[in-house]
């Protein structure tokens, strides 16, 4: 009797991952993933690796918070963990200026909703205790906006995305933190897009009690690994006093496997879930790379390459509306307005992985995560120019390419 399998082996092609994320996983990270042994999750080297990861994460995030570790999964896993202390009926003010902070605000509405509110519209609950301040797409959340809302509502929690990847906007983290301090509010921040790209230390922001990031953007660690999180003692005390409706993503319980017990570092973690030796190994290598390159150096490289890419697409007649340094969000030249989806789909079909915005208005997003070389930027610019020409644009290629070179050299010299 012959055994047949229903599908051929899955082959996923390589693409030029020039979107907002996932970023290009470093080859060293992939090889650490594939090169780990099949040790179990309580093997001494796996446990030691997790402790080292925890210590490296504290350094990368710039924090003395004991409760700093990785949540197994993707960015949303870390965000879910961070928001787990928000309980039904808790008062929250959330600032939304794009796709991701919009989903964060939905998560908060789900967590803060009463049972009746949840039953009323379980997938989109209107929690009376949650105020969502909508800031238009393409605009940043400013300190004044945060101050006015916190002064008016005096909530227990406030939420903001540090960098809103949907619209490519940097929000005012200092203003957010200051307003939280002034009104004695516990700030929660989605730092998914900023960690590993921007040079900042979370301990500088005294009003923020909880932070969550992701593996796949600045950290270059896509193979399903860990979403970094960090919590102040105040957050942990609040959580301990009130509890949370989760086991897997419970910040106090999950921390134990990383050797954080009763608010202190202990020598070895204790079982919480079956962590993967492959994932630990990959995450460890990603953190080593990030720390070896140094945050300030990486932040500077991102700024140089983003401004080079920005200058090139502007020379093609595009209008850039973002201010993040890992991403440009742009409108096509007026003659091609309305054809963004067509252009993005054409590029993606050719293995050039750029993205549209995921919520209105439709714009094009081109990212440079782990693509920090003039050669990579030149390839992105060339392929984008090919696509614009395929739509009918007339471009002066040699002018654009020489602009790239001069812009880059000027920035390097500066
Ligand atoms: C990418 C992103 C997320 C979601 O992260 P996943 O890894 O897809 O779960 C959340 N918030 C922001 C700001 C993001 O950029």
């Amino acid at each position: 009797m012959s055994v047949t399998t229903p599908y051929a082996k899955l082959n996923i092609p390589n693409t030029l991952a020039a979107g907002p994320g996932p970023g290009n996983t470093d080859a060293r990270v992939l090889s650490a993933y594939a090169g780990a042994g099949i040790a179990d999750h309580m093997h001494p080297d796996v446990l030691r690796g997790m402790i080292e990861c925890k210590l490296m994460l504290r350094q990368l995030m710039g924090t003395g918070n004991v409760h700093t570790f990785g949540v197994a999964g993707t960015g949303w896993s870390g965000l879910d963990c961070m928001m787990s202390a928000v309980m039904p009926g808790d008062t929250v003010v959330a600032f939304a200026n794009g796709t991701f902070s919009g989903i964060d605000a939905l998560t908060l509405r789900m967590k803060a909703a009463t049972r009746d509110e949840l039953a009323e519209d379980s997938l989109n609950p209107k929690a009376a205790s949650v105020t969502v301040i909508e800031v238009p797409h393409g605009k940043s959340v400013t300190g004044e906006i945060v101050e006015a809302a916190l002064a008016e509502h005096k909530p227990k929690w406030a939420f903001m995305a540090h960098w809103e990847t949907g619209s490519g906007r940097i929000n005012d983290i200092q203003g957010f933190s200051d307003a939280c301090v002034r009104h004695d509010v516990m700030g929660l921040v989605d730092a998914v897009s900023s960690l590993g790209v921007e040079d900042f230390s979370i301990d500088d922001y005294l009003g923020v009690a909880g932070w969550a990031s992701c593996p796949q953007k600045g950290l270059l660690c896509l193979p399903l690994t860990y979403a970094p999180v960090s919590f102040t003692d105040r957050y942990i005390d609040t959580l301990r006093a009130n509890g949370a409706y989760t086991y897997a993503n419970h910040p106090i319980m999950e921390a134990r496997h990383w050797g954080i017990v009763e608010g202190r570092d202990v020598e070895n973690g204790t079982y919480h879930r079956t962590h993967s030796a492959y994932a630990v190994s990959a995450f460890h290598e990603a953190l080593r790379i990030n720390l070896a390159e140094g945050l300030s150096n990486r932040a500077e490289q991102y700024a140089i390459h983003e401004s080079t890419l920005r200058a090139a697409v502007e020379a093609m007649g595009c209008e850039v509306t973002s201010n993040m340094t890992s991403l440009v969000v742009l409108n096509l030249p007026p003659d091609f307005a309305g054809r963004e989806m067509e252009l993005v789909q054409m590029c993606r079909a050719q293995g050039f992985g750029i993205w549209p915005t995921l919520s209105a208005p439709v714009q094009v997003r081109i990212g440079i995560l782990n693509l920090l070389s003039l050669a990579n930027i030149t390839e992105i610019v060339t392929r984008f120019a090919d696509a614009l020409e395929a739509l009918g644009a007339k471009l002066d290629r040699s002018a654009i390419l020489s602009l790239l070179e001069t812009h880059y050299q000027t920035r390097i010299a500066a």
Side-chain angles (χ1 to χ4, degrees), residues 74-76 79 100 163 165 190 192-193 216-217:
T74 73
W76 292 124
L79 287 157
F100 295 99
W163 289 17
T165 325
D190 173 341
V192 163
S193 249
Q216 48 106 345
K217 290 181 173 135

Side-chain angles (χ1 to χ4, degrees), residues 342-365:
E342 185 189 339
L343 176 128
V344 167
Q345 274 159 5
M346 180 171 68
C347 291
R348 293 178 66 84
Q350 293 161 4
F352 176 37
I354 62 174
W355 283 75
T357 47
L358 300 176
S359 42
V362 183
Q363 294 182 285
V364 178
R365 294 186 296 162

Side-chain angles (χ1 to χ4, degrees), residues 124-360:
N124 189 26
K126 321 274 181 301
S129 64
V130 180
T131 305
V132 180
I133 308 287
E134 303 275 358
V135 174
H137 178 101
K139 299 270 179 265
S140 294
V141 180
T142 63
E144 295 75 51
I145 294 173
V146 177
E147 170 58 31
L150 299 196
E152 181 184 347
H153 299 284
K154 300 250 186 275
K156 175 175 178 181
W157 307 98
F159 167 83
M160 190 180 78
H162 186 192
W163 289 17
E164 168 50 69
T165 325
S167 50
R169 297 298 302 185
I170 295 179
N171 294 325
D172 182 0
I173 188 73
Q174 187 67 59
F176 176 81
S177 171
D178 291 348
C180 287
V181 170
R182 264 194 301 277
H183 299 286
D184 196 28
V185 173
M186 284 182 284
L188 301 174
V189 169
D190 173 341
V192 163
S193 249
S194 53
L195 186 67
V197 179
E198 166 83 304
D199 185 11
F200 70 108
S201 294
I202 66 173
D203 281 2
D204 289 343
Y205 302 100
L206 298 175
V208 183
W211 298 82
S213 189
C214 84
Q216 48 106 345
K217 290 181 173 135
L219 290 193
L220 13 150
C221 197
L222 177 64
L224 196 60
T225 57
Y226 293 103
V229 290
S230 186
F231 305 100
T232 62
D233 290 348
R234 181 181 180 191
Y235 176 104
I236 295 296
D237 291 345
T238 306
L239 170 64
R240 193 184 287 280
N242 297 291
Y245 292 114
T246 174
Y247 164 80
N249 283 346
H250 194 298
I252 296 174
M253 292 191 160
E254 174 101 44
R256 292 178 183 161
H257 210 137
W258 300 83
I260 303 159
V261 179
E262 298 296 335
R264 283 185 300 110
D265 286 325
V266 297
E267 205 153 311
N268 268 329
T270 53
Y271 173 77
H272 179 68
R273 58 163 101 206
T274 306
H275 285 286
S276 143
Y278 312 124
V280 169
S281 182
F283 191 50
H284 192 276
E285 191 64 4
L287 290 168
R288 277 171 24 87
I289 294 171
N290 272 273
L291 290 177
E293 287 183 5
L295 267 187
S296 65
N297 178 35
R298 282 170 73 81
E300 193 184 330
Q301 289 297 312
Y302 273 108
I304 291 171
H305 290 93
E306 185 269 350
S307 72
T308 306
L309 173 60
R310 171 187 292 258
V313 297
E314 283 176 349
M316 296 182 214
C318 298
E319 182 202 6
V320 176
T321 62
S322 54
N323 63 356
M324 281 170 49
T325 54
S326 53
L327 180 67
V328 298
V329 181
L330 58 88
N331 295 319
L332 292 182
D335 285 353
F336 305 99
R339 297 179 69 186
E340 294 78 11
M341 261 329 217
E342 185 189 339
L343 176 128
V344 167
Q345 274 159 5
M346 180 171 68
C347 291
R348 293 178 66 84
Q350 293 161 4
F352 176 37
I354 62 174
W355 283 75
T357 47
L358 300 176
S359 42

Side-chain angles (χ1 to χ4, degrees), residues 79-95:
L79 287 157
D80 189 69
C81 175
M82 176 182 80
M83 295 178 193
S84 65
V86 176
M87 297 294 277
D90 273 7
T91 50
V92 186
V93 172
F95 300 89

